[in-house]
Amino acid sequence: MAASGKHPILSSTPLQVLLYLNSWYFAAFFIAECLMFVYKGVVLPYPSPNLILDIVLLLLFLGLEILRLFYGWKGNLCERALAMSVSVGVLVPCTVLCVYYLLLQTFVLRMEFILNAILLCFYGFELILGLMSISTFSRASVYR
Amino acid sequence: MSVISSLVPARFLTLIAHLVIVITIFWSRENNVRASLPLQFTEEEYNEVDTRLVIALSVTLGLFFIELAGFFSGVSMFNSSQGLLSTGCHASASVSLLFFLFEQWTCDIYWWIFAFCSTGRPLQRIYLPVLLCVPEVGVLDLLVHFCLLQCDSSPCGAHPLHRCLWVKEEAPLTFRDLKTNRQLCHEVTTTTQ
């Protein structure tokens, strides 16, 4: 595309790298969280409703994260502002869930704290780069 | 490009695992410091050993930043031998540090793990001809791993200090605690009935 000289590539490479690594990191995070919930459920005195709430929220987290990563990936590669803004929009409930698992859970393990903190770092960088790429894509489409 | 598709995420995940374990050790270093001291120790001795461990962990974190910078900048993405060595080093460091954390090894052992697994990495990033000693470092790594896996559950024998210091409220991740907790719960239910 850049060879033709007319269409410069607008997709953000750092954002793509972050999304790629984030998908791998979240897969490992999800497996680790499942195992930690098994451990917590066996060892710690959990009231049943709290455990069910945490597990349901984890599944919701998985769904939202897959949605966000997919829209971010495709939106960045196809240079579409709408898909990128959906991704940034879904980032908000994902951040809320991340903070929940970081601070507001019934029992927070140290490992969970660290893993969620790293995930929050990912979200911070992806938010900044996502907003920058949305502005790049929408500015370019005005002149097309 | 199978090299990129499988080596880059493997390297990233082992790097993050090593980082998470180093931060966990930073947070719960008290047991390791106590394992390095005799049964009767003074406040100054504790602070001295604690400071040494904090310095070791801080240097490790500093080297991590260099490693992460090299990784994210993509300088070494197409150098598969370097990526493989990085993955190997971080994986063996993660396993060794897991043992260090759970078996409450003394703080001197941390310097050995650090020397074998952390110093070679950022040096490679900065000075590529060091790659010539790749097989050497790999052999050393294997030796350390084998040697470490051959250790008993505790190098000091079943030190009574280790057992009484195992605080239940920390929610540590061992099967020892699972068994003791289940026994405790069983005792509680039988006494209440």
Side-chain angles (χ1 to χ4, degrees), chain A residues 17-18 20-22 24-29 36 38-40 42-44 108-111 113-115 118 122, chain B residues 4-6 8-9 12-13 16 19-21 23-24 27-28 71-72 170-174 177-178 181-182 185:
Chain A
V17 168
L18 276 175
Y20 178 69
L21 294 176
N22 198 357
W24 278 102
Y25 179 77
F26 190 76
F29 170 85
M36 277 192 272
V38 168
Y39 170 78
K40 285 196 292 188
V42 169
V43 171
L44 297 172
V108 185
L109 296 179
R110 278 177 185 168
M111 180 91 40
F113 189 90
I114 296 168
L115 290 176
I118 294 174
F122 266 109
Chain B
I4 295 170
S5 64
S6 55
V8 166
F12 174 68
L13 287 176
I16 293 291
L19 179 68
V20 165
I21 292 176
I23 295 175
T24 310
W27 211 339
S28 58
F71 178 72
F72 278 114
E170 274 181 0
L173 307 167
T174 54
D177 253 66
L178 263 172
N181 269 327
R182 228 179 269 142
C185 292

Side-chain angles (χ1 to χ4, degrees), chain B:
Chain B
M1 283 271 210
S2 64
V3 168
I4 295 170
S5 64
S6 55
L7 200 53
V8 166
R11 209 168 118 199
F12 174 68
L13 287 176
T14 48
L15 184 62
I16 293 291
H18 191 188
L19 179 68
V20 165
I21 292 176
V22 164
I23 295 175
T24 310
I25 290 178
F26 216 124
W27 211 339
S28 58
R29 62 183 184 274
E30 195 189 312
N31 284 338
N32 288 102
V33 172
R34 280 183 197 251
S36 322
L37 294 166
L39 270 171
Q40 308 292 331
F41 56 88
T42 59
E43 188 77 31
E44 294 92 43
E45 285 172 18
Y46 182 89
N47 286 336
E48 191 196 320
V49 179
D50 192 41
T51 313
R52 259 190 271 152
L53 189 59
V54 166
I55 290 171
L57 291 166
S58 311
V59 173
T60 313
L61 284 177
L63 293 177
F64 256 114
F65 285 128
I66 302 175
E67 175 101 35
L68 277 171
F71 178 72
F72 278 114
S73 67
V75 173
S76 50
M77 190 160 87
F78 294 102
N79 198 345
S80 52
S81 60
Q82 193 179 18
L84 200 61
L85 178 66
S86 172
T87 311
C89 275
H90 285 296
S92 54
S94 306
V95 172
S96 317
L97 287 178
L98 264 174
F99 275 102
F100 178 83
L101 183 64
F102 290 152
E103 303 294 330
Q104 294 171 329
W105 284 349
T106 58
C107 300
D108 309 322
I109 298 181
Y110 185 83
W111 286 107
W112 284 102
I113 300 172
F114 171 78
F116 279 112
C117 304
S118 297
T119 43
R121 301 302 311 116
L123 288 175
Q124 269 191 355
R125 298 236 171 285
I126 300 165
Y127 190 61
L128 286 175
V130 174
L131 278 174
L132 291 170
C133 68
V134 161
E136 208 181 279
V137 178
V139 162
L140 284 174
D141 234 20
L142 271 170
L143 280 175
V144 166
H145 208 130
F146 193 68
C147 172
L148 282 171
L149 285 174
Q150 272 187 338
C151 263
D152 292 330
S153 61
S154 163
C156 309
H159 207 281
L161 191 64
H162 294 171
R163 266 179 270 138
C164 68
L165 280 178
W166 199 252
V167 180
K168 297 279 189 284
E169 294 95 69
E170 274 181 0
L173 307 167
T174 54
F175 281 110
R176 221 187 294 161
D177 253 66
L178 263 172
K179 269 189 246 166
T180 45
N181 269 327
R182 228 179 269 142
Q183 279 170 2
L184 279 170
C185 292
H186 185 69
E187 281 167 16
V188 165
T189 49
T190 47
T191 48
T192 49
Q193 276 166 7

Side-chain angles (χ1 to χ4, degrees), chain A residues 49-62:
Chain A
N50 292 39
L51 185 60
I52 294 171
L53 174 72
D54 284 344
I55 292 172
V56 166
L57 283 180
L58 186 65
L59 295 171
L60 184 69
F61 200 4
L62 177 73

Side-chain angles (χ1 to χ4, degrees), chain A:
Chain A
M1 268 210 230
S4 68
K6 287 181 188 169
H7 271 298
I9 295 179
L10 302 168
S11 312
S12 162
T13 315
L15 181 62
Q16 200 61 32
V17 168
L18 276 175
L19 285 172
Y20 178 69
L21 294 176
N22 198 357
S23 60
W24 278 102
Y25 179 77
F26 190 76
F29 170 85
F30 184 73
I31 293 170
E33 279 286 319
C34 286
L35 293 173
M36 277 192 272
F37 270 116
V38 168
Y39 170 78
K40 285 196 292 188
V42 169
V43 171
L44 297 172
Y46 251 109
S48 267
N50 292 39
L51 185 60
I52 294 171
L53 174 72
D54 284 344
I55 292 172
V56 166
L57 283 180
L58 186 65
L59 295 171
L60 184 69
F61 200 4
L62 177 73
L64 281 176
E65 188 74 14
I66 290 174
L67 198 72
R68 183 185 74 85
L69 287 171
F70 177 78
Y71 272 106
W73 189 297
K74 295 299 181 189
N76 191 29
L77 288 179
C78 301
E79 299 173 4
R80 302 179 80 96
L82 181 63
M84 269 318 295
S85 31
V86 167
S87 171
V88 170
V90 176
L91 184 65
V92 173
C94 284
T95 314
V96 168
L97 276 172
C98 187
V99 169
Y100 171 78
Y101 280 109
L102 184 74
L103 294 174
L104 305 169
Q105 263 193 99
T106 320
F107 295 110
V108 185
L109 296 179
R110 278 177 185 168
M111 180 91 40
E112 281 184 333
F113 189 90
I114 296 168
L115 290 176
N116 280 293
I118 294 174
L119 196 58
L120 267 183
C121 291
F122 266 109
Y123 286 172
F125 285 122
E126 279 172 15
L127 177 69
I128 296 170
L129 287 170
L131 290 174
M132 277 167 52
S133 54
I134 289 173
S135 72
T136 315
F137 300 155
S138 29
R139 219 184 312 149
S141 64
V142 167
Y143 292 108
R144 267 187 215 159

